[in-house]
Amino acid sequence: MIDVYLFSGFLGSGKTTLLKHVIQQAKDAGLKPAVFMNELGEMNFDSDAVEDGIPLKELLDGCICCTGSEKSEAQLQTLLAEEEFDVLLIETTGAAHPVEALDAIFSPLFAEKLKFKGIVTVADSKRWLDRSQLSPQIWSLYLEQIRHADLILANKMDLLTEAEQAQVTFEVQGLNPEAQIIQTVQSKVPFSQLQKISASKSGAVQEAPVSKLNLNAKVLEFQNPVKRDDFEDWLRALPESVFRIKGYVPLEGDKYPHAFQYAYGMAQWLPEYMKMQTQIVVIGENLEGIELP
């Protein structure tokens, strides 16, 4: 049977970074991983994190846990039919309820081939401390993602003081005392820790589908290169309802666009060495007035 791990966590928590670490560690252990990724928008920039040679299927512009459940099942069936692998890593969209996302995994079409190991939730520790700024719907989903985890990564601990680290760990553990909690930086956790977990019985599920969260994904295309300072000024002026931005930004003076990631007020720039489509995906609430500078 194929071991299956489901990576959960809100937008920008560090799920894709975790995915990259686990892929490499699984390969180092002599295992062949495969990946199934889910994204709200029509494009999945996070798929670039999956290196060539790793079997990959994607569900775009839908949620694995609701409207896209049948499509997810079909993609997984195709993956199992076309490829041979030892470990299946599922990265859900940040708006997915982890328990609802399990429907596709337990399809009668292939359930006997998969051994579900558990839910790994990446919790943004900084966002936890600033949770008063979240809408009630987003906060409800955040809690559900933690409550139903079998392993919790209290991530971004390097952004907190020692007192804040202790506070987050204590409060998150209190919400789900049965799950192991590990303090992490950049979602780094030994693959051996994942292999030790086993799925626990889930309690009552409080539904929080995307339609109730009012989350949207908006694609913004660049017509011309921009100055980095001007773009970062635009970022700082964005409302707090913008949770995540990712894509490729063309900067003045550079031959190739830069890969760009933004979550919770923090931006990350990475150089690219090939031509990429210069656009970004903005994810959040109330995005109607969000336009490029």
Side-chain angles (χ1 to χ4, degrees), residues 6-9 36-40 59-73 76 90-105 119 141 144-145 205-213 215:
L6 189 144
F7 296 162
S8 175
F36 179 66
M37 302 184 79
N38 179 207
E39 186 56 83
L40 282 176
L59 173 65
L60 303 180
D61 202 21
C63 181
I64 187 175
C65 61
C66 44
T67 56
S69 58
E70 291 184 0
K71 294 180 181 179
S72 300
E73 188 175 300
L76 288 174
I90 300 178
E91 180 187 341
T92 64
T93 172
H97 191 299
V99 175
E100 292 175 350
L102 297 180
D103 286 346
I105 302 173
I119 297 170
L141 176 63
E144 287 294 287
Q145 290 172 340
V205 176
Q206 178 181 343
E207 294 187 2
V210 176
S211 57
K212 292 186 179 180
L213 293 175
L215 281 178

Side-chain angles (χ1 to χ4, degrees), residues 18-185:
L18 171 64
L19 178 67
K20 292 172 65 176
H21 292 322
V22 174
I23 287 174
Q24 187 57 54
Q25 291 186 72
K27 290 173 61 180
D28 292 343
L31 301 173
K32 182 177 181 179
V35 175
F36 179 66
M37 302 184 79
N38 179 207
E39 186 56 83
L40 282 176
E42 295 180 356
M43 299 189 68
N44 192 357
F45 293 100
D46 289 341
S47 62
D48 294 339
V50 181
E51 61 190 77
D52 293 340
I54 301 295
L56 170 68
K57 291 293 181 182
E58 300 170 284
L59 173 65
L60 303 180
D61 202 21
C63 181
I64 187 175
C65 61
C66 44
T67 56
S69 58
E70 291 184 0
K71 294 180 181 179
S72 300
E73 188 175 300
Q75 290 281 57
L76 288 174
Q77 188 175 14
T78 301
L79 184 64
L80 288 164
E82 295 179 348
E83 304 284 351
E84 291 187 3
F85 50 92
D86 305 301
V87 180
L88 177 60
L89 308 174
I90 300 178
E91 180 187 341
T92 64
T93 172
H97 191 299
V99 175
E100 292 175 350
L102 297 180
D103 286 346
I105 302 173
F106 293 121
S107 166
L109 295 175
F110 45 73
E112 74 283 353
K113 299 179 181 179
L114 304 178
K115 180 182 180 181
F116 180 61
K117 293 285 288 183
I119 297 170
V120 181
T121 292
V122 185
D124 186 329
S125 300
K126 182 68 173 176
R127 190 183 294 274
W128 176 272
L129 292 177
D130 296 336
R131 57 189 179 273
S132 61
Q133 301 176 17
L134 300 176
S135 67
Q137 296 90 346
I138 296 297
W139 176 235
S140 174
L141 176 63
Y142 197 115
L143 292 177
E144 287 294 287
Q145 290 172 340
I146 292 174
R147 281 184 58 223
H148 294 281
D150 299 293
L151 174 65
I152 303 169
L153 306 186
N155 199 32
K156 304 185 182 180
M157 279 288 165
D158 54 322
L159 304 180
L160 276 56
T161 65
E162 290 187 4
E164 289 173 334
Q165 292 175 4
Q167 177 186 345
V168 169
T169 304
F170 177 78
E171 292 176 350
V172 171
Q173 188 73 83
L175 187 64
N176 185 351
E178 295 183 0
Q180 181 184 10
I181 182 169
I182 300 176
Q183 295 182 347
T184 59
V185 175

Side-chain angles (χ1 to χ4, degrees), residues 241-255:
S241 58
V242 174
F243 299 120
R244 185 88 158 93
I245 302 175
K246 50 192 173 183
Y248 299 96
V249 180
L251 296 179
E252 289 186 359
D254 291 345
K255 182 178 180 181

